[in-house]
Each structure stands twice: as structure tokens, then as C-alpha cells.
């Protein structure tokens, strides 16, 4: 199990509370993208080529944390870019260690000694680090020779903090890389968290996710800053491509992935979603918020729709205003446009759990129409085996 039972109970309570009181919603999760500065050179995310760079100041983050929709159970992720490149990173971490202990650090591990010190000094609840394959794949996909830095962080901190190794399945790596990372996680007894490449506005993604095939661009030339800027300038043109035939990933999923909860079904159901056979409501946007370095608050990680900006209004007014509540409820019922792990893993768990205990008909009445496959009478256990 990736999280404790208490984490699921708390989020379940929030789900019920937010359903009953949509104008007084509480946050289960808050992702603070404190900066877009990054020292990597990834192909699946061009945030490192953004100019000018931006930061959320320490004072603004502290003010944000005073919002009524945030409580001690709210899990706060400190991310970037590379969060540790924020000029006030250690000051922010010190504040969280004293005032809101339920916080996580996200890092690419390219500055391993700095990260190790931050974890040892400030004791986050969890540490999320990125690893997308072996040494060669890492170099060509992420643009830096950082594989061994990740290993150093794992070996040093695995007994200090729960470590979640984040693997992004993409056109730039494949299932062999997933197997490598999963077996490494098993070796060191750390958690695996698989995501699938998606088009996310903040990350300046280029290759169209739905039209891409896993591994089709693996280990091709490194991405330079100049080329990344050119791609950003022609982003709209690049995103429109001839749709390729999607290869069914189910048969290729390494068996070792089944040993890590919340990953196997997420990957297996992806192809159902791509083909339009799967439909789930998006419930995570009702208890999760994202704040970007410019202060904007998007409705989710996938859509460009902004609910507001914390420089113009407080988070409570943004997240729980009458207009935005209507917008959130509408998208929660009708949006099925992404397979972003931050949102869709929660939905998979929610629907499969309701279906297990209440049955398919009752789940449809409580959560709205859904289907796991083209035959909407099929249950989760019929589709995910």
C-alpha cells in the first residue's frame, strides 16, 4: 500500500464533506509549484527552457497556507521546476517543518547533497524523486547524467523518509525502462509511482500524448536549449500530428509492477481511455488545488482554464466562490479529457471502491455515469485482471 489507511479515510471524509458543502470545500491535496526554474533538460517537459523564470515568494506561500480550505490533514507538495532551486527553498522548508508537517518534497536529485541535507534537516512526510529508466535512457530523456545521483539519494535516505520513485511512461522510454525502475524500487524497498506522459500546459509539453506510442522516440538526440525554445515557439503547430495507431500496453506491463499498488490498473486502463471506451468523472478537482509560480490557480493540471490568481484574491475565494464551484462541478461530471496520474489515480480508486462495496448501479447514482470499457455493464474486476 502506497499510503496508510488513515490517508484514505481522511480523503474519504473530505469527499463526503465537499459533496455536502460545495461552497466550503476542504483540500486533501495542494500542489505548490514554487518556481519554474529547473536544472534538467527533459524532453517530456520543457519547463527548464521557460524565460523569464518566476518564483512564489516565501511571504506569499505563508499567506497562502493560512487559507481556511487548508487544514493539518492537507497534504502539501513543494514542487517546481526544481523546488530546491527556489532562492528561499530552505526558508520555506523550515517554515513547513514547524507549522505544517504534512508536506512533501519533489526533486530531480541533480543536487543530491542539497536534497539529502534538506530531508535530514526538515523531515518531510514523503520524498518524491524522478527516475525514468536506466543510465542511457535517463541521459537521453532528461538531458543530464543524473541516474547515479538518484541512486545516491535512495541509498542515503531510504531509511529516513518514505521515498516514492516517480516514473513517467512516455514516447521517450518504454516498458523495459519501467521494469528496470520497478525492480530497483523492489531492491531498495521504496515505493513506485507511475505516471503516463500527458499534455500539461505548465510543463510546455510538445509531442501529442494521445497520438504517441510508448518508446517511439527513445534514445534519440539530446534536447538543447536552443531547440527547446524553437519547439516552444511552434508549440501549436507541433501538437497537431497525424494520429498513430496506439499499441495496447496491457500485455507489455512488467509483472513486477503488480507488486506496487495503484500502478497496474492505472496503466492497463490507459488504453481503454485512449480509445474512448472508458469514462470516469473527475472528482479530484473538488478536493485538490494547484498554485503555479505566477500565482495562478488552474482547475487541474491538464486544462488551461484558470480559477483565479492568489495575487488578486485569497485561495478560499478562488476555490470556493459560487462561480468556480459551478465550474468545478460541471467539469467533475463531464470532463474525461486526460489521464494525468495526479487526478485519475484517485478516480480509479474511488470508482472501484464504491463499486466493490455498493455495486455498479448504486455507484452510478452516487458518482454519475461511468464505464470501464465499451460495454458499460462490465465491472472493474471484469476489465482489470
Amino acid at each position: 500500500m502506497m499510503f496508510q489507511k488513515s490517508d484514505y479515510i481522511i480523503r474519504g471524509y473530505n469527499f463526503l464533506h465537499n459533496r455536502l458543502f460545495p461552497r466550503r470545500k476542504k483540500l486533501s491535496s495542494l500542489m505548490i509549484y514554487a518556481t519554474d526554474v529547473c536544472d534538467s533538460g527533459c524532453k517530456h517537459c520543457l519547463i527548464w527552457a521557460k524565460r523569464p523564470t518566476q518564483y512564489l515568494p516565501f511571504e506569499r506561500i505563508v499567506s497562502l497556507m493560512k487559507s481556511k480550505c487548508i487544514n493539518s490533514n492537507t497534504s502539501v507538495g513543494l514542487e517546481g521546476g526544481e523546488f530546491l532551486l527556489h532562492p528561499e527553498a530552505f526558508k520555506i522548508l523550515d517554515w513547513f517543518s514547524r507549522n505544517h508537517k504534512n508536506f512533501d518534497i519533489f526533486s530531480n536529485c541533480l543536487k543530491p547533497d542539497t536534497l539529502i541535507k534538506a530531508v535530514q534537516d526538515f523531515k518531510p512526510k514523503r520524498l518524491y524523486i524522478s527516475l525514468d529508466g536506466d543510465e542511457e535512457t535517463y541521459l537521453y530523456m532528461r538531458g543530464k547524467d543524473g541516474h547515479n545521483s538518484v541512486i545516491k539519494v535512495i541509498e542515503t535516505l531510504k531509511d529516513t523518509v518514505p521515498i516514492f520513485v516517480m516514473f513517467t511512461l512516455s514516447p521517450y522510454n518504454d516498458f523495459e525502462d519501467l521494469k528496470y525502475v520497478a525492480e530497483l524500487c523492489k531492491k531498495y524497498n521504496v515505493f513506485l509511482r507511475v505516471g503516463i506522459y500527458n499534455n500539461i500546459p505548465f510543463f510546455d509539453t510538445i509531442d501529442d500524448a494521445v497520438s504517441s506510442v510508448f518508446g517511439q522516440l527513445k534514445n534519440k538526440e539530446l534536447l538543447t536549449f536552443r531547440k527547446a525554445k524553437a519547439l516552444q515557439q511552434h508549440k501549436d503547430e507541433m501538437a497537431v500530428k497525424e494520429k498513430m495507431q496506439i499499441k495496447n500496453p496491457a500485455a507489455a506491463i512488467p509483472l513486477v509492477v503488480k507488486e506496487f499498488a495503484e500502478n497496474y490498473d492505472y496503466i492497463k486502463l490507459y488504453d481503454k481511455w485512449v480509445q474512448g471506451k472508458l469514462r470516469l468523472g473527475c472528482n479530484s478537482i473538488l478536493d485538490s488545488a494547484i498554485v503555479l509560480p505566477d500565482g495562478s490557480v488552474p482547475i487541474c493540471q491538464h486544462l488551461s482554464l484558470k480559477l483565479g490568481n492568489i495575487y488578486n484574491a485569497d485561495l478560499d475565494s478562488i476555490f470556493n466562490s459560487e462561480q468556480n464551484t459551478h465550474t468545478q462541478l460541471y467539469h467533475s461530471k463531464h470532463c474525461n479529457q486526460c489521464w494525468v496520474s495526479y487526478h485519475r489515480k484517485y478516480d480509479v480508486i474511488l470508482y472501484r471502491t464504491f463499486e466493490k462495496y455498493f455495486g455498479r448501479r448504486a455507484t452510478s447514482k452516487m458518482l454519475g455515469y461511468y464505464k470501464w470499457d465499451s460495454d458499460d455493464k462490465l465491472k472493474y474486476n471484469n476489465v482489470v485482471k
Side-chain angles (χ1 to χ4, degrees), residues 45 65 116 124 179 213 222 276:
C45 168
M65 290 299 299
I116 290 168
K179 181 180 179 182
V213 176
L222 295 175

Side-chain angles (χ1 to χ4, degrees), residues 16-73:
L16 294 174
H17 175 274
N18 294 350
R19 282 277 176 141
L20 294 172
F21 307 103
R23 292 289 307 281
R24 287 186 279 148
K25 296 188 297 297
K26 300 293 184 181
L27 289 174
S28 297
S29 173
L30 172 64
M31 294 299 300
I32 301 177
Y33 290 91
T35 178
D36 51 19
V37 175
C38 186
D39 50 355
S40 193
C42 300
K43 293 178 179 176
H44 62 302
C45 168
L46 301 189
I47 194 173
W48 52 276
K50 281 183 182 285
R51 296 295 185 275
T53 55
Q54 300 182 87
Y55 307 91
L56 273 176
F58 169 78
E59 292 78 10
R60 184 62 60 174
I61 293 176
V62 171
S63 176
L64 171 69
M65 290 299 299
K66 295 177 181 178
S67 304
K68 293 179 181 178
C69 59
I70 298 172
N71 57 38
S72 60
N73 292 321

Side-chain angles (χ1 to χ4, degrees), residues 139 144 244 257 268 307 383:
L139 175 63
K144 299 291 178 70
M244 299 180 66
V257 173
K268 186 165 185 177
L307 299 178
V383 178

Side-chain angles (χ1 to χ4, degrees), residues 48-49 223-233:
W48 52 276
L223 189 59
T224 64
F225 179 80
R226 178 177 294 182
K227 186 173 181 179
K229 294 303 294 183
L231 290 172
Q232 287 175 326
Q233 291 172 4

Side-chain angles (χ1 to χ4, degrees), residues 50-226:
K50 281 183 182 285
R51 296 295 185 275
T53 55
Q54 300 182 87
Y55 307 91
L56 273 176
F58 169 78
E59 292 78 10
R60 184 62 60 174
I61 293 176
V62 171
S63 176
L64 171 69
M65 290 299 299
K66 295 177 181 178
S67 304
K68 293 179 181 178
C69 59
I70 298 172
N71 57 38
S72 60
N73 292 321
T74 303
S75 177
V76 178
L78 300 175
E79 193 167 350
E82 172 59 27
F83 171 75
L84 291 176
L85 294 179
H86 192 295
E88 299 176 294
F90 273 54
K91 186 177 180 180
I92 295 168
L93 290 172
D94 179 62
W95 185 91
F96 272 92
S97 70
R98 290 181 291 104
N99 296 281
H100 190 91
K101 297 182 183 298
N102 191 8
F103 73 98
D104 308 323
I105 297 176
F106 289 71
S107 178
N108 60 24
C109 297
L110 289 180
K111 289 184 168 48
D113 294 333
T114 302
L115 176 59
I116 290 168
K117 177 174 174 54
V119 170
Q120 292 174 338
D121 288 354
F122 303 113
K123 299 176 175 58
K125 188 170 183 179
R126 305 179 189 90
L127 173 64
Y128 290 84
I129 58 178
S130 300
L131 183 62
D132 298 308
D134 60 19
E135 290 186 64
E136 183 179 19
T137 298
Y138 189 107
L139 175 63
Y140 282 97
M141 180 170 171
R142 304 188 70 88
K144 299 291 178 70
D145 186 12
H147 173 276
N148 291 338
S149 294
V150 175
I151 303 302
K152 177 179 179 179
V153 169
I154 293 174
E155 291 179 340
T156 305
L157 296 176
K158 63 184 176 66
D159 297 321
T160 302
V161 62
I163 294 178
F164 289 71
V165 177
M166 298 186 297
F167 175 93
T168 301
L169 189 59
S170 75
Y172 316 102
N173 59 5
D174 56 27
F175 285 104
E176 283 300 313
D177 293 301
L178 174 55
K179 181 180 179 182
Y180 170 85
V181 174
E183 290 178 343
L184 187 145
C185 290
K186 185 176 179 179
K187 172 185 174 182
Y188 287 109
N189 194 29
V190 296
F191 298 101
L192 171 69
R193 185 169 178 82
V194 179
I196 294 177
Y197 173 76
N198 282 267
N199 295 111
I200 298 176
F202 176 60
F203 294 147
D204 274 359
T205 51
I206 298 299
D207 290 288
D208 182 56
V210 175
S211 298
S212 299
V213 176
F214 301 139
Q216 72 180 96
L217 301 174
K218 181 177 176 178
N219 290 358
K220 296 193 175 180
E221 76 284 347
L222 295 175
L223 189 59
T224 64
F225 179 80
R226 178 177 294 182

